[in-house]
Amino acid sequence: MSHPSDCIHRDPMWRHGGLIRDQSDTIRIRRGGYRHPPCSLPLSACSPTAQQALPPWHSDLEAYLRLVGTHGLPEEDRPKRCPAGCPCERMPHRHSHYWRAVFTSSSCQRICIFRFRCPGCGYVHSVIPAFLEPYQRLALDLQEDLVDAVQQGGTVEAVAEASQSLPGGGFGERTIASLVRAWNERLTQLESGLWTWLLARVPHLTLSRSPSLWSTLQSAWQAVQERIPAFRNIRFLHGLNRLCFSLAVTVHG
């Protein structure tokens, strides 16, 4: 295995549904089994220099509508190569788009997801902003609000009822229970790597005793926000998604 510091020189990997893929390997993962795309190494092994800054339209729904809208990705942010490993040296060209409704805590909007086609092999892929996950309509910040309400002691029934006042309408008990269960499983899977990453940035981190892994990691993320200005306005789940995906990662969904 290559050393983490060399990861920016390796061919990128990308998520394809429940798979991580590169030119020669396909790795089946459970939902949320993130690997850093440029090197395929676990999150815990990735060096700080491998973290790539994302363009501002990845930050939230409003920024995406303002900077991307219906006109397409800015020229400098378009995919530069085919993610399927095609040797074609020409950039993928804009192929089509589709609409997706996105729910946040403050609004419900439709966004245009743009698809690109490789001129060499014909592979078509979509570019998903970092505040959203493939195949999802709930923005990560809204998912965090719903899960956090349950983690703080609310019942699924009470959170479902309270969600009726959200701009996009309410969410059912099964949806909220599924979110809580999925994120508990994902954080358990990622715990070791996350602690390594967090403690590398806040080495003398001190946390009060928390009743759950969710609360503990969320408090640790807040400490990172205070320490690193670039993360100050990025919430926990959105930040986790940013750590694991860059613009180079294009996915179906």
Side-chain angles (χ1 to χ4, degrees):
M1 178 178 292
S2 299
H3 190 276
S5 62
D6 298 329
C7 65
I8 57 175
H9 303 298
R10 295 185 55 179
D11 291 333
M13 301 186 77
W14 68 97
R15 189 167 74 174
H16 179 104
L19 308 176
I20 292 289
R21 303 184 61 190
D22 67 7
Q23 295 185 36
S24 58
D25 298 300
T26 299
I27 306 168
R28 184 170 297 280
I29 57 172
R30 294 194 305 169
R31 182 179 177 183
Y34 295 125
R35 319 278 285 189
H36 190 276
C39 61
S40 83
L41 295 175
L43 180 63
S44 59
C46 229
S47 66
T49 58
Q51 306 295 337
Q52 301 181 27
L54 295 178
W57 49 266
H58 279 280
S59 62
D60 54 43
L61 176 61
E62 289 71 25
Y64 188 88
L65 291 171
R66 184 176 67 255
L67 300 174
V68 176
T70 60
H71 302 293
L73 304 181
E75 187 66 26
E76 64 273 15
D77 297 336
R78 288 180 51 181
K80 301 300 189 293
R81 54 166 289 180
C82 174
C86 173
C88 178
E89 296 183 356
R90 289 181 292 166
M91 288 176 56
H93 60 76
R94 179 169 161 178
H95 175 67
S96 60
H97 68 270
Y98 58 89
W99 292 92
R100 174 171 299 176
V102 177
F103 298 90
T104 72
S105 297
S106 58
S107 68
C108 174
Q109 301 273 1
R110 288 201 315 159
I111 67 171
C112 209
I113 302 292
F114 293 95
R115 307 174 78 216
F116 290 82
R117 185 177 188 273
C118 173
C121 68
Y123 182 81
V124 177
H125 53 283
S126 304
V127 177
I128 310 295
F131 58 82
L132 193 64
E133 290 190 296
Y135 308 105
Q136 291 282 340
R137 296 188 300 166
L138 276 65
L140 286 162
D141 288 355
L142 175 57
Q143 292 189 39
E144 182 171 342
D145 287 339
L146 295 173
V147 175
D148 192 57
V150 176
Q151 296 285 358
Q152 297 303 321
T155 65
V156 170
E157 294 79 6
V159 174
E161 183 176 352
S163 74
Q164 300 298 321
S165 62
L166 292 171
F171 301 98
E173 296 175 13
R174 291 181 62 182
T175 298
I176 295 171
S178 177
L179 284 174
V180 173
R181 182 172 58 254
W183 280 110
N184 282 338
E185 291 176 355
R186 294 165 77 173
L187 291 183
T188 299
Q189 182 184 10
L190 292 167
E191 181 181 8
S192 176
L194 279 172
W195 279 122
T196 301
W197 189 92
L198 290 164
L199 292 173
R201 278 119 187 113
V202 187
H204 303 294
L205 181 64
T206 302
L207 298 173
S208 58
R209 188 178 183 85
S210 298
S212 66
L213 177 61
W214 169 277
S215 299
T216 302
L217 288 172
Q218 194 176 52
S219 297
W221 180 260
Q222 291 169 356
V224 170
Q225 287 180 304
E226 295 173 0
R227 177 76 174 269
I228 305 176
F231 291 105
R232 198 150 290 164
N233 296 318
I234 300 174
R235 295 180 61 186
F236 178 42
L237 298 188
H238 186 174
L240 177 59
N241 206 38
R242 279 175 168 253
L243 292 181
C244 305
F245 291 96
S246 69
L247 181 64
V249 182
T250 49
V251 295
H252 285 292

